[in-house]
């Protein structure tokens, strides 16, 4: 906490499109005394979720009795208030492994919380709360005994009978994402009834040898007494002697789901300890930036030219009239066809092995449907952050065209020179879009934006924020990492080339920053950060939430 209070916010930044102002720093808890970070990893989706006036956070905290054992903590607060915590003391986490984060998803319809945690190539660990927790928060007693009465499952409710080794073994990187209303409408009926409101993505396999799968959550229905249940969408990203690493998944305002990824090729590491360390299956084996989108919640996928590349429908899903095999066969793609490394047209930028592209950095989609990726490359002999973006698919002239630009090595006015030093495996950043209407004071100008279907010509504009943690050594102690943070911004009006400093701090971001992707819709950039707590031994760390007003 102390660290972020030392922030100097420089008010002249407020002349730019997005003006960030520090609102509040709140401590969530103590980060466990492990070598690897169990809280705040770039792929952790999500650690911080705002819904219905409350913000929810998840993190590991060491047991009071034995610091080698960690428990899942779920915290909530009225947005802007103080957190109240509940501890799931009946599960003890013991591996010192930075993959083993906690991911949180919330059903907007039935109000249940969904947790997956402690996953690194092991059996699924899933737990959900009672119903109504998030939809009736004032009537909820914030207690583990009341809310988390069900046990930890090694399968998803509704899918107890599908083959566990195929679906729920060797699981890593669970990611939840709200399915917005406009996307719910596009999802085909699969005979289950109702409409899904939460998406789950996860990897099955291991680094260099794995596939990514998708599931939908159908909320509980009081009228039919039907409980909440998960439905398998299917394996959508196939690894072939490699594994895909996604930068993220995002729905646009039309309901299309976009994803970008890199492949990591397999190096046989038999006999080496790979549980914690990356090598020899490290990021040097990553290659290419790939892209695909789905207009039906993940069942079918197209490449950047709109050509069908995958028909994920699991062949095992019971047929209904609506989902007949005819409907489910797409051209020459039978059900059960994932996106493969050889699928045509998925590579949007060819980046060689040893080319410096990292796995799981950042992605967002803006209000005009432009897909933005933050990653890094070393094609020029200098490892540098790159911004890759796809023009709006509704743009008449440059529909779905990809642009790739390095972030400038030096951004004027950045005291941290954050873009000057980028490591091959340095701390990863985040990207988030803020719509023109929330950043432009002239509301009559911003109302010209044609609600999401915007073209690149004449829209009042989106502002893209890049939240960049320092990859450099600390200026005061070269054996430690700097905890500096700079937030850069660029605008659609400036073709995203007008990078400028929106915020900077010499400290306060000790590890990889995470963003509340939902609270930004209310004009607040809420960051989940891990920092030294300033204790005398220099070892203690805290998990905190830092709120910045976007104006
Ligand atoms: C603390 O937990 C670890 C991991 O389970 C165990 O090895 C150790 O014996 C425990 N220590 C004590 C004092 O109980
Ligand atoms: C996946 O898990 C199963 C056990 O369920 C194990 O037999 C298998 O070796 C694992 N595969 C990989 C690639 O780790
Ligand atoms: C790796 O090599 C070992 C022998 O060196 C072999 O037994 C094993 O099957 C190989 N693993 C894979 C996944 O190819
Ligand atoms: C980038 O590539 C150059 C030339 O191959 C190499 O000398 C340099 O070490 C690389 N930078 C990083 C950060 O790996
Ligand atoms: C920032 O770093 C870059 C790359 O090392 C360097 O070219 C530039 O001069 C630096 N700028 C400042 C202000 O230190
Ligand atoms: C960012 O883009 C998404 C997708 O188009 C949209 O739902 C969201 O409203 C945008 N966020 C902001 C803050 O404009
Ligand atoms: C706001 O934008 C509109 C449309 O571009 C323009 O006509 C108007 O003069 C602007 N108002 C101010 C106060 O800048
Ligand atoms: C630099 O940091 C290291 C690691 O925390 C510590 O051991 C060392 O004492 C520090 N050096 C100085 C000069 O503060």
């Amino acid at each position: 906490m102390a660290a972020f209070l030392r922030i100097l916010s420089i008010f002249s930044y407020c002349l730019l499109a997005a003006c960030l102002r520090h609102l509040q720093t709140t401590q969530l808890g103590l980060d466990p005394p492990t070598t690897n970070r169990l809280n705040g990893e770039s792929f952790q989706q999500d650690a911080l979720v705002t819904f219905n006036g409350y913000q929810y956070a998840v993190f590991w905290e060491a047991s009071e009795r034995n610091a080698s054992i960690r428990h899942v903590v779920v915290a909530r607060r009225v947005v802007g208030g103080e957190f109240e915590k509940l501890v799931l003391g009946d599960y003890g986490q013991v591996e010192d492994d930075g993959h083993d984060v906690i991911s949180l998803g919330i059903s907007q319809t039935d109000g249940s919380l969904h947790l997956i945690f402690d996953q690194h190539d092991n059996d699924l660990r899933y737990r959900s709360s009672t119903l109504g927790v998030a939809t009736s928060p004032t009537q909820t007693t914030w207690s583990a005994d009341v809310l988390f009465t069900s046990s930890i499952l090694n399968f998803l409710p509704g899918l107890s009978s599908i083959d566990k080794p195929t679906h729920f073994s060797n699981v890593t990187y669970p990611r939840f994402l709200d399915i917005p209303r406009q996307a719910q409408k596009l999802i085909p009926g699969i005979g289950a009834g109702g409409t899904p409101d939460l998406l789950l993505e996860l990897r099955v396999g291991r680094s260099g040898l794995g596939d990514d799968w998708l599931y939908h959550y159908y909320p509980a229905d009081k009228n039919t007494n039907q409980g909440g249940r998960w439905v398998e969408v299917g394996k959508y990203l196939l690894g072939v002697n490699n594994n895909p690493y996604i930068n993220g998944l995002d729905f646009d305002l039309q309901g299309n789901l976009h994803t970008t990824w890199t492949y990591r090729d397999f190096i046989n590491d038999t006999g080496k300890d790979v549980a914690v360390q990356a090598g020899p299956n490290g990021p040097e084996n990553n290659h290419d930036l790939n892209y695909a989108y789905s207009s039906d919640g993940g069942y079918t996928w197209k490449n950047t030219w709109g050509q069908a590349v995958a028909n994920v429908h699991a062949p095992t899903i019971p047929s209904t009239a609506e989902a007949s095999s005819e409907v489910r066969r797409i051209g020459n793609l039978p059900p059960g066809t994932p996106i493969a490394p050889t699928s045509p047209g998925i590579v949007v930028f060819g980046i060689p092995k040893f080319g410096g592209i990292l796995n799981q950095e950042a992605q967002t989609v803006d209000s005009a449907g432009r897909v933005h990726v933050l990653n890094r490359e070393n094609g020029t002999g200098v490892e540098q952050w790159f911004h890759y973006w796809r023009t709006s698919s509704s743009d008449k002239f440059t529909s779905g065209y990809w642009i790739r630009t390095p972030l400038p090595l030096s951004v004027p006015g950045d005291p941290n020179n954050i873009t000057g030093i980028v490591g091959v495996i340095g701390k990863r950043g985040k990207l988030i879009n803020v719509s023109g209407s929330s950043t432009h004071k002239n509301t009559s100008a911003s109302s010209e934006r044609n609600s999401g279907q915007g073209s690149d010509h004449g829209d009042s504009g989106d502002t893209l924020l890049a939240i960049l943690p320092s990859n450099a050594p600390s200026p005061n102690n070269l054996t430690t990492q700097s905890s500096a943070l700079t937030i850069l911004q660029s605008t659609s009006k400036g073709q995203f080339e007008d990078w400028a400093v929106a915020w900077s701090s010499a400290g306060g971001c000790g590890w990889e920053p995470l963003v509340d992707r939902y609270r930004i819709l209310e004009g607040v950039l809420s960051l989940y950060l891990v920092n030294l707590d300033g204790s005398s031994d220099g070892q203690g760390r805290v998990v905190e939430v830092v709120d910045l007003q976007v104006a």
Side-chain angles (χ1 to χ4, degrees):
M1 180 146 79
F4 228 93
L5 293 178
R6 276 186 255 117
I7 284 172
L8 289 176
S9 103
I10 297 172
F11 291 99
S12 59
Y13 294 158
C14 290
L15 295 173
L16 300 170
C19 161
L20 301 180
R21 185 170 58 84
H22 181 244
L23 281 178
Q24 191 181 17
T25 296
T26 314
Q27 186 173 321
L28 269 172
L30 301 178
D31 189 54
T34 46
T35 305
N36 300 286
R37 297 279 59 74
L38 297 168
N39 296 315
E41 296 278 350
S42 177
F43 47 79
Q44 189 175 358
Q45 184 176 327
D46 285 311
L48 202 55
V49 176
T50 292
F51 174 70
N52 194 23
Y54 280 71
Q55 188 176 45
Y56 299 82
V58 288
F59 59 102
W60 291 110
E61 204 163 48
S63 156
E64 281 165 15
R65 286 189 217 104
N66 182 341
S68 304
I69 297 175
R70 277 77 64 170
H71 298 309
V72 171
V73 182
V74 189
R76 72 161 187 182
R77 63 171 172 178
V78 172
V79 163
E82 290 298 317
F83 282 100
E84 54 181 329
K85 301 196 262 189
L86 64 79
V87 180
L88 299 175
D90 57 357
Y91 181 80
Q93 197 281 345
V94 293
E95 300 286 333
D96 188 338
D97 179 338
H99 296 80
D100 294 342
V101 298
I102 309 166
S103 295
L104 168 70
I106 299 180
S107 166
Q108 311 148 69
T109 315
D110 73 19
S112 52
L113 310 185
H114 301 258
L115 302 170
I116 299 183
F117 48 91
D118 205 10
Q119 300 286 174
H120 190 190
D121 303 351
N122 48 2
D123 291 353
L124 186 72
R125 291 186 176 116
Y126 166 91
R127 191 166 205 179
S128 60
S129 75
T130 53
L131 303 176
V133 174
T135 39
S136 306
T138 55
Q139 282 135 52
T140 296
T141 306
W142 199 247
S143 150
D145 296 341
V146 176
L147 305 182
F148 287 91
T149 49
S150 70
S151 53
I152 297 166
L153 302 177
N154 61 1
F155 61 89
L156 295 170
L159 294 171
S160 57
S161 61
I162 62 175
D163 185 54
K164 284 200 187 69
T166 305
H167 296 87
F168 303 133
S169 297
N170 313 305
V171 171
T172 319
Y173 308 124
R175 293 178 188 247
F176 291 105
L177 183 67
D178 274 9
I179 305 178
R181 200 138 301 199
Q182 68 274 15
Q184 293 177 8
K185 291 191 198 127
L186 303 175
I187 293 174
I190 41 77
T195 311
D197 68 354
L198 187 62
L199 180 115
L200 169 64
E201 205 268 8
L202 52 79
R203 183 184 79 185
V204 171
R206 51 158 298 187
S207 68
L209 291 174
D211 312 305
D212 281 28
W213 293 73
L214 288 172
Y215 297 90
H216 288 161
Y217 179 72
Y218 284 73
D221 184 346
K222 273 193 215 119
N223 300 326
T224 60
N225 230 359
Q226 166 81 269
R229 67 236 179 269
W230 290 88
V231 161
E232 176 188 351
V233 176
K235 180 195 293 180
Y236 80 111
L237 287 176
L238 171 75
V240 179
N241 233 21
N242 60 23
N243 81 280
Y245 277 115
I246 64 168
N247 292 304
L249 287 159
D250 292 280
F251 286 103
D252 65 25
L253 294 179
Q254 268 60 55
N256 302 301
L257 179 61
H258 302 266
T259 188
T260 60
W261 70 97
T262 189
Y263 286 109
R264 180 177 301 179
D265 284 359
F266 181 65
I267 306 288
N268 193 324
D269 52 11
T270 300
K272 304 234 166 60
D273 177 16
V274 294
V276 177
Q277 299 302 329
N281 269 296
E284 64 280 3
N285 302 305
N286 295 349
H287 59 86
D288 297 333
L289 182 70
N290 302 278
Y291 166 75
Y293 71 94
S294 172
S295 303
D296 56 9
Y299 282 102
T300 63
W301 291 84
K302 291 177 174 161
N303 66 19
T304 198
W305 289 280
Q307 297 155 340
V309 289
N311 181 6
V312 177
H313 287 281
T316 52
I317 286 179
S319 278
T320 64
E322 205 177 346
S324 71
S325 58
E326 224 173 290
V327 171
R328 287 198 268 126
R329 188 176 181 91
I330 302 188
N332 58 356
L333 303 173
T337 308
I339 302 170
T342 51
S343 293
I346 56 169
V347 181
V348 292
F349 292 108
I351 300 166
K353 280 166 99 161
F354 297 91
I357 188 164
L358 193 46
N359 40 286
Q360 303 155 303
E361 190 145 11
Q363 180 190 294
T364 192
V365 177
D366 70 21
S367 68
R370 289 174 288 243
V371 179
H372 299 272
V373 176
L374 174 74
N375 211 300
R376 48 190 80 189
E377 281 184 55
N378 183 4
T380 57
V382 179
E383 184 86 14
Q384 243 176 300
W385 264 307
F386 275 73
H387 173 220
Y388 312 84
W389 62 282
R390 182 178 188 261
T391 58
S392 169
S393 42
S394 59
D395 188 291
K396 282 197 285 270
F397 306 104
T398 60
S399 167
Y401 182 76
W402 276 91
I403 294 154
R404 167 180 173 269
T405 12
L407 298 197
L409 277 174
S410 185
V411 176
D414 178 13
N416 299 321
N417 201 15
I418 211 94
T419 51
I421 296 180
V422 179
V424 179
I425 50 166
K427 283 177 274 182
R428 290 163 286 193
K430 279 282 163 269
L431 280 183
I432 194 107
N433 68 301
V434 285
S435 68
S437 53
S438 70
T439 55
H440 290 260
K441 293 200 173 68
N442 185 343
T443 47
S444 82
S446 47
S447 66
E448 281 171 16
R449 183 164 61 95
N450 40 9
S451 64
Q453 220 359 309
S455 72
D456 292 339
H457 306 277
D459 73 306
S460 82
D462 280 305
T463 298
L464 184 64
L465 298 179
I467 299 144
L468 303 173
S470 177
N471 280 204
S474 164
N476 308 320
N477 183 341
L478 296 181
T479 67
T480 63
Q481 278 265 308
S482 164
S483 64
L485 175 70
T486 294
I487 302 176
L488 297 180
Q489 64 166 292
S490 66
T491 64
S492 54
K493 280 185 170 166
Q495 292 297 304
F496 302 104
E497 285 176 4
D498 52 345
W499 290 103
V501 179
W503 176 269
S504 78
S505 167
C509 181
W511 191 231
E512 300 189 312
L514 301 181
V515 174
D516 184 334
R517 69 180 67 243
Y518 305 106
R519 194 160 175 215
I520 193 74
L521 304 177
E522 296 160 13
V524 174
L525 179 65
S526 202
L527 303 174
Y528 177 105
L529 303 173
V530 177
N531 277 301
L532 291 175
D533 67 358
S535 59
S536 52
D537 66 357
Q539 300 301 314
R541 281 178 307 265
V542 291
V543 187
E544 2 177 70
V545 176
V546 174
D547 297 329
L548 303 173
Q549 177 82 49
V550 184

